[in-house]
Amino acid sequence: MNIAYFGSPQLSELLLDRLLEKNLPISLVITQPDKPAGKRLEITATAVKNNAVVHNIEFFDKPLKKYEDELLSIIREKKITLGILFAYGEILSTSLLKSIPFGIWNVHPSLLPKYRGPSPIVYPLILGEAETGTTLMQMNQGLDQGDILMQTSVSIKARDKREQIEQKLVALAEQQIFYALSLLKTNSLQSKQQEEHLATYTRLLKKKDGFITQTFISQALNNKNVTFEQLPEILQRYHVKNNIPPKKNYDAGPVLYHLYQGLHPWPGVWTTIKVGPNEKRLKLLDMTFEDNTPQLRQVQLEGKRAVEFSVFNKAYNCF
């Protein structure tokens, strides 16, 4: 079997590396083109492309819309029989999906049909879910709508942040892929349709999604109740987009901590405070959760070094 791997960011590279360590026969890597990145906007290759170079695997990193015929030709020449996709960054055409005999398996890091879209790891965390998981599905042209081949859940612990959950989900994905391959060899791999009425959708994160008002943070540190209209915008937008009825009240403390779990380290949880005549950004760098209340440990004021929250609050008396 010859396998093509579709992926781009660091998270996808983690899975690719694990698969190559187990000698999965990946003979072609498809990734996004080099793009400007960082403060200096230097042209940078994707993490997946860099991994392909290290392992001497042929890669294709051209824009699909313009060069799809070239990719189809390479797939035929290399006799690719299966595709595996994890965070590639683009919806594939029907002709590309049909060009591979066993199709393309998409690794989606949520329990589909919940949390379709580009940020499936973040939303279960910021919404305070007790579990998340990985879904291996047979790709179709819809957005994360393909039939489910395999699905595995994992609990979300109180100390888990996004990075810890990512590691757990990559490990689950590795296990699913090898198990699905073993079933494929014996013609016993089965699939099931997703329940469309349970589908919810996420969106791509932006820096402003980490903004929490100073008032809300104060309410959270004192574990006050808040209304739906007082929730941070990222949560309100998710409920509205997915037609989820709001509750009468929310405990601000757990809400703030769940946002920290899902948004750390980027875009992070942050607010603005008045410093003299100016407003400055304040990042909430470290937080724990005790007695149903968030405990701020470390913050960083714009232009300053990170300090203990107790020291900062004594100096600025903001909360």
Side-chain angles (χ1 to χ4, degrees), residues 43-58:
I43 301 300
T44 305
T46 69
V48 165
K49 176 179 173 179
N50 289 334
N51 192 295
V53 171
V54 168
H55 288 90
N56 198 29
I57 299 172
E58 183 177 347

Side-chain angles (χ1 to χ4, degrees), residues 212-221 226 230 252 271-272 318-319:
I212 315 293
T213 66
Q214 188 178 336
T215 299
F216 187 89
I217 293 171
S218 294
Q219 291 168 324
L221 295 178
V226 295
Q230 293 174 303
T271 190
T272 55
C318 295
F319 302 98

Side-chain angles (χ1 to χ4, degrees), residues 32 79 110 125 143 151 155 191 226 230 235 246 276 287 294 314:
Q32 290 292 311
K79 297 180 180 179
S110 83
L125 287 164
L143 178 61
Q151 193 168 75
S155 61
S191 64
V226 295
Q230 293 174 303
L235 300 178
M287 191 184 307
K314 188 174 182 180

